[in-house]
Amino acid sequence: MDNVPTRSTIMDTNSYRGDAPDELPDSDRQLVNRREQLLGPAYRLFYQKPVHLVRGEGAYVWDAHGTQYLDVYNNVVSVGHCHPAVAEAVGRQLRVLNTHTRYLHEGIVDYAQRLLATMPAELDQVMFMCTGSEANDLAVRVAQVATGARGVIVTREAYHGTSALTSGLSPALGSGQPLADFVRLVDAPDTYRGRDGSAFAADVRAAIDDLVGAGFGFAALLADSIFSSDGVLPGEQGMLREAVDEARRRGGMFIADEVQPGFARTGEAFWGFARHGVVPDLVTMGKPMGNGFPVSGMAARAEALAPFATTLPYFNTFGGNPVAMAAGQAVLDVIEQEGLQQHSGEVGARLLCALQELGDRHPQVGDVRGAGLFIGFELVRDPSAKTPDKQLALQTVEALRERRVLTSVAGPHGNVLKLRPPLAFQERDIDWLVSALDEALGELAAQ
């Protein structure tokens, strides 16, 4: 099996390279220089003209010069930038107590109960961390102990974290990051190119055979149910069932990475995996949980967790702290009280329709697909051959930035616009986004 990762799209594709520093305002250029000097070269900034943000509200952000932007990329602040309910809950708890989980506290137990109530009954225990990387790291370790095997299958452009373990499971980080020897890659299902759930399951089957043959055994299939980094590939409902069944038949576990598709984003269900009628063995969560406050989690079937948990005690200093739990509770409150799952489904459907109509007017738009407020907008050079057009995608992202719309790209070829706004995105914002895209594509086609 091919074990060579493709070039990074999440870090390098839409990044600042300093080609035209004179185009930046003096204050921004000075800040870029200070940042590079003090933070070192590993970090990346978006855009050829980086955006200096100073304030956010709902689906909007403002830069240091007072310019307002529409944020169509940010799922970290899932219910909206600086949501007052979350800010109030965090501040209130921070003024009372913040400590670790080795003392009794109602907050972690109450939140665990409420979070698990959003999941299938089979998922009955949860552990907390601070980042999605930590959650995926723990989930893989749990699966390896439970199965007695090491082998893990991920998709070809997957991103699952930055720890030593999870970076080795994240081909999206690029060729400079070697994959772990016990990892095998499979292509994500892509209905635009005729690759369905059965093809995905067949590749999973072959990858399991290869892992077993190499002596690693098979521990887990780890997948983001909307294949975010692979190009936003929601597919038909139920598409993952055959592959998950195959993984279980071969003695492995299914780990659902819900950092991006979870917490009502797809509209059709609270969790991305639920669109496919499957119940994972382990579910990992991250960024959207605290609306920007660092909190993550791993939900599990008790029988899946037991072999690890009864052998190795686990401690994460700030995982599950009272402030993080207050943030998590507030996010669930907002999703429920503001009807954000229904909102995501309804507004997302209207946005998808508007973008598909836009695509009909521009031949360089190959496919528009999505679920709720998570949409992939694929650009191609040749619609009949479906040839990816990475250069056009990058030009479009920059043209949108000039029209005060912020987003980025995804997919192995970097040619898919990843449209994933905060759930505070409103119907009135559709015109702003679609008009900006229409103008940008028209302008670029005329060049």
Side-chain angles (χ1 to χ4, degrees):
M1 300 287 291
D2 182 5
N3 204 39
V4 179
T6 55
R7 177 172 170 77
S8 172
T9 54
I10 62 170
M11 292 297 292
D12 293 311
T13 308
N14 176 32
S15 61
Y16 172 69
R17 292 185 293 275
D19 295 338
D22 292 341
E23 295 183 9
L24 296 176
D26 286 344
S27 59
D28 289 355
R29 186 170 65 251
Q30 291 169 10
L31 186 56
V32 167
N33 291 339
R34 289 179 61 207
R35 174 187 167 103
E36 290 177 346
Q37 180 181 3
L38 295 170
L39 303 185
Y43 287 101
R44 301 291 188 273
L45 286 163
F46 279 138
Y47 302 109
Q48 289 308 294
K49 292 172 62 178
V51 185
H52 178 186
L53 297 181
V54 296
R55 184 167 70 89
E57 181 180 339
Y60 313 114
V61 287
W62 286 261
D63 69 14
H65 313 288
T67 304
Q68 181 181 358
Y69 296 82
L70 175 63
D71 185 353
V72 192
Y73 188 70
N74 204 323
N75 78 319
V76 177
V77 288
S78 57
V79 299
H81 287 276
C82 305
H83 196 289
V86 181
E88 170 60 26
V90 167
R92 184 171 58 247
Q93 183 59 50
L94 196 57
R95 289 189 293 270
V96 175
L97 175 70
N98 198 26
T99 187
H100 53 71
T101 55
R102 297 191 70 180
Y103 300 104
L104 283 172
H105 194 273
E106 292 86 353
I108 189 171
V109 178
D110 291 345
Y111 179 64
Q113 184 174 22
R114 188 174 180 191
L115 182 66
L116 289 171
T118 68
M119 296 186 180
E122 294 91 332
L123 294 158
D124 53 358
Q125 294 183 341
V126 62
M127 299 174 68
F128 295 105
M129 308 92 215
C130 301
T131 68
S133 297
E134 291 174 303
N136 281 326
D137 189 297
L138 179 60
V140 170
R141 292 170 62 198
V142 167
Q144 289 176 332
V145 171
T147 61
R150 295 178 65 206
V152 179
I153 298 171
V154 300
T155 52
R156 196 166 299 279
E157 191 66 16
Y159 171 68
H160 295 296
T162 58
S163 70
L165 176 56
T166 58
S167 61
L169 304 167
S170 299
L173 289 174
S175 55
Q177 169 59 56
L179 294 181
D181 58 359
F182 56 82
V183 172
R184 295 296 181 270
L185 304 182
V186 294
D187 290 325
D190 181 353
T191 54
Y192 174 50
R193 291 178 170 80
R195 181 174 165 73
D196 61 9
S198 293
F200 181 61
D203 281 359
V204 167
R205 187 178 303 115
I208 295 172
D209 288 341
D210 192 62
L211 285 167
V212 172
F216 295 111
F218 172 54
L221 168 64
L222 169 59
D224 161 0
S225 57
I226 204 166
F227 300 100
S228 312
S229 297
D230 291 279
V232 188
L233 300 163
E236 300 296 326
Q237 293 187 8
M239 179 180 66
L240 293 185
R241 192 178 300 124
E242 187 176 348
V244 172
D245 288 346
E246 180 64 22
R248 292 233 177 85
R249 187 181 71 81
R250 299 294 297 275
M253 293 186 173
F254 173 47
I255 305 171
D257 182 340
E258 291 287 314
V259 172
Q260 297 196 60
F263 289 91
R265 176 155 293 278
T266 67
E268 298 168 349
F270 196 88
W271 299 104
F273 65 78
R275 295 184 63 244
H276 299 291
V278 298
V279 179
D281 300 283
L282 302 163
V283 177
T284 58
M285 302 153 273
K287 293 173 284 199
M289 290 181 75
N291 205 53
F293 193 92
V295 55
S296 67
M298 182 200 71
R301 299 173 185 248
E303 65 272 19
L305 181 57
F308 176 92
T310 56
T311 304
L312 294 167
Y314 180 83
F315 180 62
N316 185 310
T317 301
F318 275 100
N321 70 75
V323 176
M325 299 296 91
Q329 285 279 22
V331 167
L332 293 181
D333 286 342
V334 172
I335 292 174
E336 180 181 315
Q337 293 166 9
E338 297 184 8
L340 290 185
Q341 182 177 326
Q342 181 178 356
H343 171 85
S344 182
E346 292 175 352
V347 175
R350 295 187 186 105
L351 174 59
L352 183 65
C353 182
L355 290 169
Q356 288 171 336
E357 291 174 357
L358 173 67
D360 291 339
R361 303 197 298 273
H362 294 276
Q364 61 270 54
V365 180
D367 191 37
V368 184
R369 54 193 177 249
L373 285 172
F374 208 151
I375 294 174
F377 191 86
E378 180 158 357
L379 297 171
V380 296
R381 286 196 299 273
D382 181 349
S384 59
K386 303 178 181 178
T387 312
D389 197 334
K390 174 181 178 178
Q391 185 60 33
L392 177 60
L394 291 176
Q395 292 173 330
T396 303
V397 166
E398 296 291 344
L400 287 174
R401 180 246 186 273
E402 295 304 314
R403 290 163 175 80
R404 300 177 292 115
V405 174
L406 306 180
T407 192
S408 191
V409 294
H413 305 288
N415 68 308
V416 180
L417 302 190
K418 190 175 186 179
L419 307 177
R420 180 196 55 180
L423 301 185
F425 184 93
Q426 299 295 320
E427 189 167 357
R428 64 177 178 269
D429 299 320
I430 294 175
D431 286 341
W432 185 349
L433 170 58
V434 173
S435 297
L437 256 175
D438 194 14
E439 289 178 11
L441 291 172
E443 178 184 275
L444 292 168
Q447 291 180 357

